[in-house]
Amino acid sequence: MRALLVVNPQATATSAAGRDVLAHALASDVQLEIVETSYRGHAADAAARAVADGIDLVVAHGGDGTVNEVVNGLLAKCPDPVDTPALGVVPGGSANVFARALGLPRDPVEATHRLLVAIESGSRRQVGLGLVEPADSDSRWFTFNAGLGWDADVVAEVERRRDKTASPLLYASIALANYVKQMLTATDLLVELPDGTREKTRLAFVSNTDPWTYLGAKPIHMNPDCSFDGGLGLFALRSLAPPTIARTLSQILLPLGPPSGGNLLRLDDVDEVRVTAERPVRLQVDGDDLGEHRQVKFTSVPKALRVAV
């Protein structure tokens, strides 16, 4: 088997020593090439070349941004999972949402062992993905979530503070600081469902799995029935007033059942969602800021990717 190891040396939990241990372990089972990323989009470029070169497995060692780039590189020219290299993931970031949603260990050494077992046994899991298609730019695959509005503004601010570790405290403090601005100035969004239903909301959040989290080990349950084996989950709020936010946070952080409420639009297993904004709003995909857009379509793509797990 031929494999490519894509390492982001800037990721929070990666190190030269850890990379060497991972590379040595993989090289005992596969014919291995290694790429260390040095620019935005490098992981995607490396994965796309792996497809062209007939590589069997591409291993992403970094955070969710590295995983997302690798996935987009793998599927850029060859969206058929049968002809696409399988994906392997060894967590190396601060959140590692996708890896944790797959049930992989957070510890890179333990995750490497799991990957080696999958390689030796040939174990592969087909997972569904989401596809984001802004009307004014290229499409982008996402593995665990995407959103328009408040959460995307938080992601953009976290990216701006690249000198700081993207810790749960940083996410929470930025979200809190941004809340008053959102409550007063958030742009109305028009959410359109496949059956033609249209709803006005203040934010729109689309999940590809549940739970997920940026808050350390604390799971966030927005769409409990959403999984890699079904359609997308929609979670949209019609109001950002304090009572609505307080109720919503309590429900997703201390789940006693599916979130509910008069200001909540929540659906599971959705094939497609279209969102139109009165003026450009920020979009995030897998925790990556994609700038501002007015029209975005989110589509569920079943069994889009094979993962060694």
Side-chain angles (χ1 to χ4, degrees):
M1 178 183 290
R2 298 171 61 209
L4 173 67
L5 172 61
V6 179
V7 181
N8 178 3
Q10 303 302 317
T12 306
T14 60
S15 66
R19 174 208 60 201
D20 291 343
V21 169
L22 172 57
H24 180 75
L26 288 173
S28 65
D29 275 10
V30 300
Q31 181 181 335
L32 185 67
E33 301 174 37
I34 303 173
V35 169
E36 286 198 355
T37 60
S38 58
Y39 58 87
R40 189 181 181 96
H42 194 172
D45 292 342
R49 285 195 298 272
V51 176
D53 292 343
I55 295 290
D56 302 296
L57 173 72
V58 177
V59 179
H61 181 36
D64 290 305
T66 303
V67 173
N68 182 275
E69 282 197 18
V70 167
V71 168
N72 276 274
L74 289 176
L75 300 178
K77 299 288 181 66
C78 186
D80 187 341
V82 175
D83 300 320
T84 303
L87 171 71
V89 180
V90 175
S94 57
N96 305 305
V97 179
F98 180 62
R100 290 161 68 181
L102 286 170
L104 296 176
R106 296 188 66 182
D107 180 75
V109 175
E110 294 180 17
T112 299
H113 175 70
R114 283 278 299 272
L115 178 59
L116 291 173
V117 171
I119 291 173
E120 292 170 1
S121 66
S123 174
R124 302 290 184 269
R125 177 181 176 182
Q126 286 190 311
V127 302
L129 298 176
L131 185 66
V132 169
E133 297 174 274
D136 55 354
S137 66
D138 296 336
S139 61
R140 180 79 169 261
W141 296 91
F142 65 97
T143 63
F144 56 89
N145 69 41
L148 284 162
W150 186 10
D151 68 296
D153 286 344
V154 172
V155 164
E157 181 63 16
V158 170
E159 282 197 8
R160 191 181 69 81
R161 302 189 190 188
R162 287 187 179 276
D163 57 318
K164 296 185 178 181
T165 300
S167 65
L169 180 60
L170 181 62
Y171 276 105
S173 62
I174 289 176
L176 181 61
N178 192 264
Y179 170 63
V180 174
K181 174 186 173 184
Q182 292 293 327
M183 185 175 61
L184 297 176
T185 66
T187 300
D188 283 338
L189 307 176
L190 182 63
V191 176
E192 184 176 352
L193 303 175
D195 64 1
T197 300
R198 294 185 175 189
E199 294 267 5
K200 274 195 174 184
T201 69
R202 303 299 297 279
L203 65 79
F205 194 90
V206 179
S207 296
N208 189 47
T209 188
D210 186 277
W212 56 268
T213 187
Y214 293 118
L215 301 176
K218 183 64 180 177
I220 296 175
H221 294 272
M222 285 187 162
N223 292 81
D225 293 328
C226 183
S227 76
F228 292 127
D229 301 318
L232 300 175
L234 171 66
F235 191 100
L237 290 175
R238 301 180 180 93
S239 169
L240 297 179
T244 297
I245 296 301
R247 175 189 176 94
T248 301
L249 288 176
S250 67
Q251 289 182 336
I252 66 177
L253 294 176
L254 301 170
L256 298 176
S260 62
N263 286 318
L264 174 61
L265 172 63
R266 193 186 67 82
L267 296 170
D268 292 310
D269 202 17
V270 178
D271 294 330
E272 179 182 300
V273 177
R274 294 176 183 266
V275 182
T276 303
E278 293 184 345
R279 61 177 185 269
V281 294
R282 198 163 293 279
L283 168 69
Q284 68 85 13
V285 170
D286 281 352
D288 189 17
D289 174 29
L290 293 193
E292 295 185 334
H293 305 275
R294 286 196 64 235
Q295 294 182 319
V296 183
K297 181 172 75 169
F298 304 87
T299 305
S300 171
V301 183
K303 299 180 179 180
L305 185 70
R306 291 181 303 129
V307 183
V309 65

